[in-house]
Amino acid sequence: IGKSTLVRNFAAECVALEASDALGLVFVLSASNLENDYLGLQAVLECEGNDKEPAAARPAQPLTQSAVRKRVHALLGSSRWRGRWLGVLDDLPAPDLMETVNMDWLLK
């Protein structure tokens, strides 16, 4: 069984047990589309939490890839999402190749 199948089964079980409130967000970040996946996740997280965060706290200018990742990680760690999400990192290269493809930040 692959990662995606495990996540789908887990999410379906949460719904079946009426525990879906405990799992508020399920997402997949794919190595082949990581930048866009993070941008999409950022948009979802900011949309879901926009009633709790003043607009002034959200960046007005486009962010660098690194800044987007930091923003997403901060949002996932916020009181709104902490412990309520499940993410799948899909199609990652072997750990010894992460630096070669500029993904070694995942290992930190």
Side-chain angles (χ1 to χ4, degrees):
I1 293 182
K3 296 176 292 295
S4 300
T5 301
L6 286 173
V7 169
R8 278 193 301 273
N9 291 346
F10 179 76
E13 189 173 323
C14 284
V15 170
L17 297 173
E18 297 180 4
S20 58
D21 285 347
L23 188 62
L25 178 67
V26 177
F27 59 90
V28 175
L29 299 175
S30 176
S32 62
N33 198 32
L34 204 55
E35 183 178 349
N36 286 330
D37 288 350
Y38 261 98
L39 285 169
L41 182 54
Q42 177 187 2
V44 168
L45 293 169
E46 288 182 340
C47 179
E48 289 292 324
N50 67 5
D51 59 329
K52 299 184 187 323
E53 182 180 348
R58 293 191 297 269
Q61 300 296 322
L63 300 173
T64 65
Q65 284 181 282
S66 176
V68 169
R69 289 192 304 265
K70 287 179 183 175
R71 177 83 177 136
V72 165
H73 297 167
L75 288 165
L76 288 172
S78 70
S79 59
R80 166 84 168 100
W81 293 109
R82 190 176 309 114
R84 298 192 62 236
W85 58 269
L86 175 62
V88 175
L89 300 174
D90 206 18
D91 301 326
L92 294 177
D96 58 330
L97 298 176
M98 296 288 262
E99 187 173 359
T100 307
V101 294
N102 296 320
M103 295 179 80
D104 52 323
W105 56 269
L106 278 169
L107 301 174
K108 298 176 183 174

